[in-house]
């Protein structure tokens, strides 16, 4: 009977040691997972910051593109305002010969 009790106690102690080792292993893995989650959150925050920065730069480029487009249209309108009267005057003069060359 003492040997059975000793065997049972030895088995129980062994299983308790295995359970404690398993708990320690789980706690270590839990700490690793938490560290990885913090790293992922940090990377996500960095990606979000860069995305916002790129979005801001895109809006800036679109704004500059719009301003350049308006300037170009203004220049074309101004150019037409000064060249059309000249062309009409030249074409209405029957004694004036003009050759236009396009490059």
């Amino acid at each position: 009977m003492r040997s059975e009790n000793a065997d049972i106690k030895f088995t129980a102690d062994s299983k308790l040691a295995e359970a404690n080792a398993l708990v320690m292993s789980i706690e270590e893995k839990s700490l690793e997972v938490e560290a990885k989650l913090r790293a992922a959150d940090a990377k996500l925050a960095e990606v979000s910051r860069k995305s916002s920065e790129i979005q801001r730069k895109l809006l800036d480029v679109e704004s500059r593109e719009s301003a350049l487009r308006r300037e170009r249209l203004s220049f074309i309108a101004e150019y037409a305002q000064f060249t059309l009267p000249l062309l009409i005057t030249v074409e209405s003069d029957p004694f004036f010969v003009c050759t236009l060359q396009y490059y």
Side-chain angles (χ1 to χ4, degrees):
M1 188 134 138
R2 281 187 172 195
S3 93
E4 283 182 31
N5 283 343
D7 286 343
I8 291 172
K9 184 172 179 359
F10 177 76
T11 304
D13 288 343
S14 296
K15 288 187 178 187
L16 182 60
E18 287 177 20
N20 285 334
L22 186 58
V23 166
M24 292 298 287
S25 174
I26 290 171
E27 286 177 355
E28 288 175 6
K29 292 194 189 266
S30 176
L31 290 173
E32 289 175 13
V33 167
E34 286 179 21
K36 287 181 180 180
L37 281 173
R38 281 192 296 274
D41 285 342
K43 286 182 181 180
L44 184 61
E46 178 70 12
V47 166
S48 178
R49 185 189 63 77
K50 285 187 177 184
S51 176
S52 295
E53 183 180 331
I54 288 171
Q55 187 66 28
R56 183 184 48 77
K57 286 181 180 181
L58 176 63
L59 290 174
D60 186 44
V61 167
E62 287 174 346
S63 174
R64 283 187 278 152
E65 180 185 23
S66 178
L68 287 172
R69 187 174 287 121
R70 283 191 307 273
E71 270 185 54
R72 180 177 175 269
L73 290 175
S74 174
F75 175 76
I76 289 171
E78 188 176 332
Y79 178 76
Q81 181 182 8
F82 288 110
T83 58
L84 283 178
L86 179 64
L87 289 175
I88 292 169
T89 304
V90 169
E91 288 176 359
S92 63
D93 186 353
F95 299 106
F96 187 81
V97 177
C98 179
T99 304
L100 295 177
Q101 295 180 340
Y102 296 96
Y103 297 98

